[in-house]
Amino acid sequence: MKGPGSRMYLRVSLTDRCNLRCTYCLPDQARFAPDRAATSELLKLTNLIAEVGGVHKIRLTGGEPTLADDLVDHVRNARALVPIVGMTTNGVLLEPMLPALRDAGLNRLNISLDALDRDAFERRARRPGLDRVIGSIRAARRLGFDPVKINAVAMQDTDYAALVRFAAWEGVHVRFIELMAIGEARPFQAAQYVPAVDMRTRIAAAGIRLQERTDRDEPTSRVWSIEGHVPAECSVGFITTTSAPFCSTCDRLRLSSQGRLHTCLMDDRGHDLLTDLRSGDEAAVRTTIRAAIAAKRPPARFVREGVMAMIGG
Ligand code: SAM
């Protein structure tokens, strides 16, 4: 387990709000927190966690981070702290923001895309937006974002082969995320879950040959290249959170838009940092961060009641 002073990876949820209602993530009638920490507070907490945790990489997420009007400020602040600043977004509102985000220092982009067929996309997201998401992916490549990764949550009706072909065609990387028993997904996770090994069987059945690339494995996913394509340009990865959890090497910290620090995705409560910050007690905030990191442990169960959007995926 990582401890204080070791190099951590911080994910900051800029808002719990989202413009989609993906069935595995948010209820259709989602209720969001009435307010969130102020920009200056979230920036300050990011800086304190980065300092105490020795953070080497920051990712901005949500909810939907493109709904946060201080997104560019967060990118700029994060880039002053660390060399790698990423964002995970559904991509619907992204395209016009891309130049400003790139200029502010964003250099990793993950765009969620579960389906390429309009009906399937809208069944999953319960909102329109497929064309805009694809437009954002293409614009990101044109603007030089590299790598661009597509995140697809794996379910029984996912068209794995179509997403792999799309990645190869567009020159992007697709990462299939095993469905987790979190929030809205809890009632159907067991029925809808597809382990990575079955995803590969389905991809192979469609005539696509993948080759495992142990040289390109990432901390949270096994990476495979697509036969006939250059691995640096497109690849397929499987995030095996459920079939092969990576808790023993997990270096992730999550800061919620409410100013709470979570040391595990399955941790609903987190640690309140905002109260001490608002009372001007920065030393107490540092102490809480240090203690939370020291107590970081794998979860007893891979189940979480709260929705993912609260603390970011
Ligand atoms: N709104 C942004 C987006 O759509 O990418 C960022 C937030 S979203 C909560 C972050 C990631 O969590 C997405 O890739 C999403 O697909 C994933 N996610 C949400 N619920 C999940 C679940 N139950 N199991 C697996 N992944 C999930």
Side-chain angles (χ1 to χ4, degrees):
M1 276 284 92
K2 302 264 178 177
S6 57
R7 288 161 64 73
M8 309 297 284
Y9 168 21
L10 174 63
R11 299 170 71 100
V12 183
S13 175
L14 297 185
T15 173
D16 63 344
R17 288 165 194 274
C18 193
N19 46 346
L20 300 184
R21 294 290 183 277
C22 299
T23 52
Y24 52 76
C25 190
L26 279 174
D28 202 6
Q29 305 300 326
R31 297 231 305 269
F32 300 106
D35 53 12
R36 51 152 250 189
T39 302
S40 59
E41 292 169 336
L42 271 186
L43 291 172
K44 184 74 196 171
L45 291 177
T46 301
N47 296 352
L48 288 171
I49 296 168
E51 177 201 313
V52 176
V55 167
H56 66 102
K57 177 175 167 188
I58 295 177
R59 176 166 294 274
L60 305 173
T61 176
E64 174 46 43
T66 58
L67 295 179
D69 53 16
D70 53 6
L71 172 59
V72 171
D73 298 330
H74 279 278
V75 172
R76 200 173 292 114
N77 180 67
R79 253 324 273 282
L81 297 168
V82 295
I84 300 176
V85 178
M87 177 170 74
T88 302
T89 169
N90 62 37
V92 175
L93 302 173
L94 178 66
E95 184 172 352
M97 302 178 183
L98 282 166
L101 292 169
R102 184 196 54 188
D103 294 349
L106 187 75
N107 52 14
R108 296 284 188 281
L109 197 49
N110 288 47
I111 301 178
S112 294
L113 177 62
D114 292 331
L116 293 160
D117 168 82
R118 193 176 317 282
D119 288 343
F121 178 95
E122 292 180 13
R123 258 198 319 277
R124 190 67 64 83
R126 292 189 288 208
R127 297 288 184 275
L130 176 64
D131 293 342
R132 284 175 169 213
V133 178
I134 292 177
S136 293
I137 292 168
R138 291 183 174 150
R141 291 293 292 125
R142 272 199 309 277
L143 283 167
F145 281 93
D146 188 24
V148 172
K149 291 184 187 169
I150 295 172
N151 284 353
V153 174
M155 289 174 50
Q156 289 296 345
D157 64 354
T158 300
D159 190 339
Y160 297 93
L163 285 160
V164 173
R165 287 196 184 99
F166 176 79
W169 179 256
E170 300 289 339
V172 297
H173 304 260
V174 61
R175 298 289 176 263
F176 292 109
I177 308 172
E178 288 181 344
L179 185 66
M180 290 180 267
I182 290 185
E184 285 298 284
R186 282 182 304 153
F188 58 77
Q189 191 266 350
Q192 284 294 327
Y193 168 65
V194 181
V197 62
D198 291 1
M199 298 180 216
R200 285 195 288 275
T201 304
R202 293 196 197 189
I203 292 165
I208 300 168
R209 291 175 59 137
L210 301 182
Q211 284 151 348
E212 188 164 13
R213 298 197 48 100
T214 47
D215 56 320
R216 293 186 67 85
D217 274 357
E218 296 162 6
T220 57
S221 67
R222 307 287 298 277
V223 178
W224 301 60
S225 60
I226 306 166
E227 196 177 66
H229 294 271
V230 182
E233 288 172 8
C234 60
S235 66
V236 184
F238 301 90
I239 303 185
T240 57
T241 331
T242 305
S243 67
F246 39 83
C247 297
S248 63
T249 55
C250 176
D251 59 358
R252 297 176 174 207
L253 301 173
R254 292 178 164 86
L255 173 63
S256 80
S257 53
Q258 311 300 311
R260 298 186 80 85
L261 176 64
H262 300 255
T263 58
C264 174
L265 192 52
M266 303 296 150
D267 164 23
D268 268 316
R269 261 178 67 76
H271 305 261
D272 172 31
L273 303 180
L274 204 51
T275 306
D276 284 332
L277 186 77
R278 284 183 173 165
S279 65
D281 193 348
E282 268 184 37
V285 179
R286 282 196 178 81
T287 303
T288 304
I289 297 168
R290 206 169 287 118
I293 295 173
K296 181 171 163 59
R297 298 273 181 281
R301 289 190 322 143
F302 274 87
V303 175
R304 190 186 132 86
E305 279 173 32
V307 299
M308 189 84 119
M310 272 306 291
I311 63 171

